Amino acid sequence: MQSTEISFDNLGETGALFTELLRARYHHFVEARGWDLPHVRGLEFDQYDTPESIYCAIHDGMSIRGGFRVTPTTARCGSASYMLRDAQLGLLPDLPADILDAPAPQDPKIWEVSRVFVDDRLSSRERMRVRGQLGVNFARLAKDWNIDAFLCLTSVSAALLTRQAGINITPAGLRFEIEGETCQAYHLTVDAKRLRRRAA
């Protein structure tokens, strides 16, 4: 199992893996969970998949085991900024405007994490390994990109598993229902030494 960072700067080398990541997102969010998300030819993507985002793929060869997307809270693409801020501004009708308990930050040291997933076809032990690798990648990105903290929208059950993987996570808003799941916005911070110890 390996981790690969994907950005628009290295798509020449990672383009095929990026396609597989979008395909895995389609399976996880659209097919398995029934979320109403944009997709074409079995690839899931949205208005936040822009050159400002960075992606992490956990994979065996071209088989994606998990992944996520991070976007700076200073991002801007047309009328879109980042998901949690756009929701707070009332631009995403499927998400509540009170999704955050404070004004959405626009800070180069705070990034949004989105589209976090772990392949649900893996064994529980393998899923925990993937979560550990995701955490290590959060720590690496924080160091490489000078990120102090992340914001994330996820299910409450996924947040509990995230804590078990060694990531510091605290609520950033009220709980609400979406697509049959109880979700909440969270602040994430990482302790690189702790995460590396857990992943070892």
Side-chain angles (χ1 to χ4, degrees), residues 156-172:
V156 172
S157 58
L160 293 173
L161 293 169
T162 299
R163 284 192 184 99
Q164 292 174 13
I167 297 172
N168 303 317
I169 181 167
T170 56

Side-chain angles (χ1 to χ4, degrees), residues 22-93:
L22 298 181
R23 199 181 312 282
R25 279 174 32 176
Y26 173 78
H27 166 75
H28 185 83
F29 296 109
V30 178
E31 289 185 318
R33 280 162 179 70
W35 290 15
D36 182 18
L37 298 174
H39 57 90
V40 173
R41 296 189 300 278
L43 307 176
E44 183 274 311
F45 60 92
D46 65 15
Q47 66 269 41
Y48 305 109
D49 289 308
T50 76
E52 293 198 72
S53 292
I54 298 170
Y55 304 82
C56 171
I58 308 298
H59 58 105
D60 287 315
M62 296 301 286
S63 298
I64 303 294
R65 304 307 186 199
F68 62 82
R69 172 180 67 194
V70 292
T71 305
T73 58
T74 54
R76 196 63 152 169
C77 184
S79 61
S81 56
Y82 64 95
M83 187 175 60
L84 286 168
R85 181 172 183 267
D86 286 353
Q88 192 175 66
L89 294 174
L91 301 176
L92 301 177

Side-chain angles (χ1 to χ4, degrees), residues 125-159:
R125 181 177 180 140
E126 289 173 320
R127 288 197 302 272
M128 187 53 74
R129 276 188 64 213
V130 173
R131 287 188 197 99
Q133 285 299 314
L134 293 175
V136 169
N137 280 277
F138 284 137
R140 192 192 74 247
L141 286 166
K143 179 174 181 277
D144 292 349
W145 292 85
N146 199 25
I147 301 168
D148 287 343
F150 298 94
L151 274 177
C152 181
L153 173 64
T154 190
S155 67
V156 172
S157 58

Side-chain angles (χ1 to χ4, degrees), residues 83-104 153 172-177 185:
M83 187 175 60
L84 286 168
R85 181 172 183 267
D86 286 353
Q88 192 175 66
L89 294 174
L91 301 176
L92 301 177
D94 293 336
L95 296 175
D98 60 353
I99 197 166
L100 295 171
D101 54 18
L153 173 64
L174 298 175
R175 294 183 178 186
F176 63 96
E177 295 292 318

Side-chain angles (χ1 to χ4, degrees), residues 6 40 72 123 154 176 189-190:
I6 301 170
V40 173
S123 69
T154 190
F176 63 96
T189 56
V190 296

